[in-house]
Amino acid sequence: MVPKNPRSPSSGAMNGSCCKLEDGFPALQLFGQGVSYTYDDVILLPGYIDFPADAVDLSTRLSRRRPLAIPCVASPMDTVSEAAMSVAMAALGGAAIVHCNNAPDSQAAIVRAAKARRIPFATDPVFLSPSDSVSDFGPAAYAIVTESGTSKSRVVGVVAKSDWEGLANRNTLVSEYMRHAPVSAPASYDFEKVASFLAGGGLEYAPLVAEDGEVVDLVTKEDVERIKGFPRLGVPSLGADGRFVVGAAIGTRETDKERLEHLVKAGTNVVVVDSSQGNSIYQIEMIKYAKSMYPELDVIGGNVVTVAQAQNLIKVGADGLRVGMGSGSICTTQEVCAVGRGQATAVYKVASFAKEHDVPVIADGGISNSGHIVKALTLGASTVMMGSFLAGSSEAPGVYEYL
């Protein structure tokens, strides 16, 4: 490993005056100089390859007891992680952390919706009642018609956007042009079972219904064909209950204890205490509370960038650490508060300490290309957390605006 800036304080070692390695620096020496490096400040030297690409094992841990097949985590941002992102990331072997910029029951509903699915996508279905008239169908291709117009009641039909757009009178009641109630499939079906269900019945679509009777989504033949064209998905992230692994964020206020209770009841597999400065009495007390109330729940603390910060959170039971302060694309901590650290140095320092305590580290922020992922993992991170890298994707919240 070598610094990319030849004028760095360590550049003299490039000539071999103090470095045993002929071509670069060992990480211990590079990060022992007191210099704060970002990902772009360092580059890795290539080595010798004697294995094929498909022999690479990317399996890792999100937290002490939460394994993942790939080291990728979606950030708890309201522009990134809701049900669709949670399902997509878990299907690929990673995980998403559902944001907490909403009411506790709304966040818990997102967790439940994600955990109710076993197929590698999730939509935000539109629900109508037979007595509704629709003035604007929105971007969805289909709407599910239930007795009450909510997901909690029996399915009675389906409305296709193509049917609605062909109406002369857009105020016509849904009951007059909806398609009859289709056969429903269990939401616990994985993709292969759903595909067989549709093909075996010659169906164009089918609602997915959870064990408690809640309608969670609508899957179509077009969805199945689209997913068949995806690259091989690999090993999904599944919890002990056989459902997708879904994480969720909480804050450090007293009201977040109620939020935590909602999330645990919804089945969240891991909780992230979301704070730009994790080394605070408020976060320490929240981690203590969560571990005492729910000892089987893994709790990830952060954000931290120093060994001293990491030590405080590990001491009170944190099962994982988020590392990064000011490195994210929209983070202004370094500019506003004048604190932080170069992300490469922060990851290396914290990961080196956390490894001694068997605590996985999440490199949070600063990931703008695949090379940054490689650097973070090489420096000791178990996973990388991405926000802007995933925002704007089809799985992220929001709709496309065409100007």
Side-chain angles (χ1 to χ4, degrees):
M1 182 177 294
V2 296
K4 293 179 74 175
N5 177 7
R7 296 185 179 180
S8 70
S10 311
S11 59
M14 295 284 287
N15 298 320
S17 60
C18 68
C19 182
K20 294 181 180 180
L21 293 182
E22 191 173 291
D23 292 322
F25 296 95
L28 183 62
Q29 180 182 351
L30 181 66
F31 294 107
Q33 302 286 339
V35 178
S36 182
Y37 292 112
T38 69
Y39 290 142
D40 289 333
D41 290 330
V42 297
I43 190 70
L44 309 176
L45 294 176
Y48 173 68
I49 297 175
D50 60 355
F51 53 87
D54 58 7
V56 176
D57 181 8
L58 294 176
S59 61
T60 185
R61 290 185 300 162
L62 175 63
S63 56
R64 288 186 200 266
R65 296 171 292 186
R66 187 56 53 205
L68 297 179
I70 62 173
C72 299
V73 184
S75 180
M77 299 165 60
D78 54 16
T79 54
V80 177
S81 296
E82 291 189 352
M85 185 64 72
S86 298
V87 168
M89 292 297 289
L92 291 168
I97 310 299
V98 176
H99 69 87
C100 57
N101 298 335
N102 49 16
D105 56 345
S106 298
Q107 186 185 17
I110 293 172
V111 172
R112 282 196 301 272
K115 292 192 68 67
R117 293 161 167 82
R118 281 297 311 276
I119 53 178
F121 77 94
T123 66
D124 188 11
V126 176
F127 290 95
L128 302 171
S129 74
S131 59
D132 285 335
S133 60
V134 187
S135 58
D136 182 10
F137 201 94
Y142 293 91
I144 303 172
V145 185
T146 63
E147 290 177 338
S148 67
T150 71
S151 64
K152 300 290 188 180
S153 60
R154 186 175 64 89
V155 178
V156 296
V158 169
V159 172
K161 187 171 185 177
S162 56
D163 298 336
W164 173 78
E165 289 178 331
L167 292 174
N169 180 9
R170 296 290 175 85
N171 292 320
T172 303
L173 295 181
V174 167
S175 59
E176 296 185 25
Y177 64 94
M178 71 181 186
R179 304 181 185 187
H180 292 300
V183 180
S184 298
S188 59
Y189 274 10
D190 59 18
F191 175 69
E192 287 73 19
K193 287 184 179 179
V194 168
S196 297
F197 183 84
L198 292 178
L203 303 173
E204 291 186 22
Y205 48 79
L208 299 176
V209 180
E211 294 177 358
D212 61 1
E214 182 174 1
V215 185
V216 300
D217 216 332
L218 183 81
V219 61
T220 70
K221 186 166 67 174
E222 290 79 11
D223 293 326
V224 170
E225 294 304 315
R226 176 172 55 85
I227 294 169
K228 284 181 178 178
F230 286 178
R232 184 169 60 90
L233 294 178
V235 180
S237 300
L238 302 177
D241 57 2
R243 299 184 177 189
F244 282 149
V245 168
V246 180
I250 61 172
T252 58
R253 293 183 171 87
E254 189 67 24
T255 53
D256 283 291
K257 294 179 179 179
E258 177 189 352
R259 182 183 295 274
L260 178 61
E261 182 181 359
H262 279 277
L263 294 171
V264 171
K265 289 180 178 178
T268 189
N269 298 96
V270 62
V271 162
V272 172
V273 184
D274 193 14
S275 174
S276 60
Q277 158 59 305
N279 188 29
S280 70
I281 185 61
Y282 310 106
Q283 177 151 161
I284 287 172
E285 291 302 321
M286 181 58 73
I287 292 174
K288 287 181 179 178
Y289 173 82
K291 295 302 296 182
S292 65
M293 291 295 295
Y294 310 103
E296 298 305 313
L297 178 69
D298 273 14
V299 179
I300 296 172
N303 282 29
V304 297
V305 293
T306 71
V307 169
Q309 289 180 305
Q311 187 175 29
N312 282 344
L313 298 189
I314 291 174
K315 189 185 302 182
V316 295
D319 299 295
L321 296 174
R322 284 172 77 187
V323 176
M325 194 172 293
S327 57
S329 62
I330 62 172
C331 186
T332 60
T333 304
Q334 293 185 13
E335 292 80 6
V336 174
C337 301
V339 294
R341 199 174 201 178
Q343 186 68 343
T345 300
V347 170
Y348 178 77
K349 291 290 189 179
V350 174
S352 297
F353 174 78
K355 183 179 179 180
E356 299 174 1
H357 301 272
D358 194 34
V359 174
V361 161
I362 303 171
D364 178 23
I367 304 295
S368 58
N369 56 57
S370 59
H372 290 157
I373 297 175
V374 175
K375 290 178 183 180
L377 299 178
T378 302
L379 292 168
S382 296
T383 56
V384 295
M385 181 170 279
M386 297 170 287
S388 63
F389 198 89
L390 298 172
S393 63
S394 298
E395 292 79 11
V399 296
Y400 285 101
E401 293 287 346
Y402 299 97
L403 303 178

